[in-house]
Amino acid sequence: MAQIIDGKKISAQIREEIAAEVAQMKAEGTVPGLAVIIVGENPASKVYVRNKGKGCAEVGMYSEIIEMAEETTQAELLAKIDELNARRDIHGILVQLPLPKQIDERAVIAAISPSKDVDAFCVENIGEMMLGTADFLPCTPAGIMQLLARSGIEVAGKECVVIGRSNIVGKPISQLLLAENGTVTICHSKTKNLAEVTRRADILVVAIGRADFVTGDMVKDGAVVIDVGMNRRADGKLTGDVDYASVEPKASFITPVPGGVGPMTITMLLKNTLTAAKKQK
């Protein structure tokens, strides 16, 4: 019977810590500010952006949501980013992805000042993460590391297996586990004998976007299982990449979906914005 890693509870603890630091900064005359740009009418993106604004309000930060039309040109978006880069009251800038097809995501990410890149997507911040000298870490992987640390789970010396190699989760979480002295294996669609690899894992992180993909026979007894997936079944219910019913009895710790990794992502964005405000101050 696994111990549930409660992402809502841990996220709330971290937000309390952030709010206390924001209050201190305000007393000293600085209000940490986050600008979020959304281009187009993607319904999921609108929900994410609204939740980021709510998160800022909860911890006492200033937030500015900038809505741009679907037909916005790349030049117009880059001009808006330049304007925000220059503003003293904005410490973090985030452009909600995905973007309309006429806009090059890489050019947009590169346009954000590294000191305000609170998603930690730009080449400079990714390089700093690889070197272990980053001010900001990508939000979801940083959230996973907080879940492990605050649950008392030691990474050093453990066999860590990551399923998924995306730039947003798979690659950075592999690097962060390595930085904590885990022995890391990255699996993906071309991995042979996947179940043999996953059964070696003391810590298994699953981030592939396939509902209920990892089943109990793929997990060793006592493993820590971190489910990053967020999928909808045919009946509309949310489920992760892990088949919870068959994996939970074998795991020592497991994150539920929803309520596990999900709540941590915006919380770590707030933490990055706070760090950016401190550095810029």
Side-chain angles (χ1 to χ4, degrees):
M1 188 82 166
Q3 187 171 326
I4 306 302
I5 299 176
D6 187 342
K8 288 182 181 174
K9 183 178 175 183
I10 293 171
S11 169
Q13 289 169 355
I14 296 171
R15 289 193 188 202
E16 281 182 19
E17 294 163 12
I18 293 169
E21 288 200 64
V22 169
Q24 180 63 39
M25 287 193 79
K26 281 182 168 177
E28 296 166 3
T30 300
V31 181
L34 173 68
V36 182
I37 303 174
I38 178 169
V39 184
E41 298 295 324
N42 183 308
S45 291
K46 289 201 159 195
V47 171
Y48 291 140
V49 166
R50 194 161 59 242
N51 287 341
K52 285 162 185 169
K54 283 181 186 171
C56 285
E58 185 184 324
V59 299
M61 289 182 180
Y62 169 72
S63 71
E64 194 167 308
I65 294 171
I66 298 154
E67 297 182 338
M68 302 183 79
E70 184 79 31
E71 58 273 14
T72 295
T73 65
Q74 183 167 311
E76 287 168 337
L77 178 53
L78 294 178
K80 177 57 70 176
I81 292 169
D82 281 346
E83 178 190 313
L84 294 169
N85 280 336
R87 277 178 54 182
R88 299 287 297 275
D89 62 329
I90 295 295
H91 303 98
I93 302 169
L94 182 152
V95 178
Q96 184 67 44
L97 303 179
L99 290 166
K101 60 183 183 299
Q102 74 273 16
I103 299 174
D104 177 5
E105 285 184 5
R106 289 176 65 180
V108 168
I109 290 165
I112 298 170
S113 166
S115 66
K116 296 189 178 188
D117 170 36
V118 286
D119 256 338
F121 283 169
C122 80
V123 170
E124 184 171 325
N125 285 331
I126 291 167
E128 296 280 7
M129 179 186 69
M130 295 291 287
L131 295 171
T133 55
D135 290 322
F136 318 126
L137 297 173
C139 299
T140 301
I144 293 168
M145 297 307 291
Q146 285 288 326
L147 290 177
L148 294 172
R150 289 175 186 246
S151 301
I153 297 163
E154 181 76 33
V155 174
K158 299 284 178 65
E159 285 269 0
C160 305
V161 174
V162 177
I163 309 180
R165 53 179 167 178
S166 72
N167 291 334
I168 293 173
V169 180
K171 289 177 187 174
I173 190 59
S174 302
Q175 187 60 38
L176 297 182
L177 290 165
L178 183 62
E180 290 297 323
N181 300 309
T183 300
V184 182
T185 303
I186 305 172
C187 299
H188 43 76
S189 59
K190 300 291 190 291
T191 299
K192 293 179 180 175
N193 305 315
L194 177 65
E196 287 180 23
V197 182
T198 58
R199 279 194 292 269
R200 296 202 308 260
D202 300 309
I203 298 173
L204 178 63
V205 180
V206 191
I208 53 168
R210 290 178 63 181
D212 305 322
F213 179 79
V214 170
T215 49
D217 61 320
M218 298 171 70
V219 177
K220 84 171 180 183
D221 288 336
V224 175
V225 180
I226 305 293
D227 187 352
V228 188
M230 189 72 77
N231 313 288
R232 286 210 181 269
R233 292 196 182 108
D235 62 5
K237 285 188 178 174
L238 276 176
T239 186
D241 293 348
V242 173
D243 176 40
Y244 190 89
S246 66
V247 172
E248 186 269 338
K250 297 186 75 174
S252 59
F253 289 83
I254 191 167
T255 58
V257 175
V261 174
M264 298 297 292
T265 300
I266 291 176
T267 297
M268 301 316 291
L269 172 69
L270 300 173
K271 190 171 177 64
N272 282 348
T273 303
L274 175 63
T275 301
K278 287 181 188 170
K279 296 284 287 185
Q280 290 166 51
K281 184 183 173 194

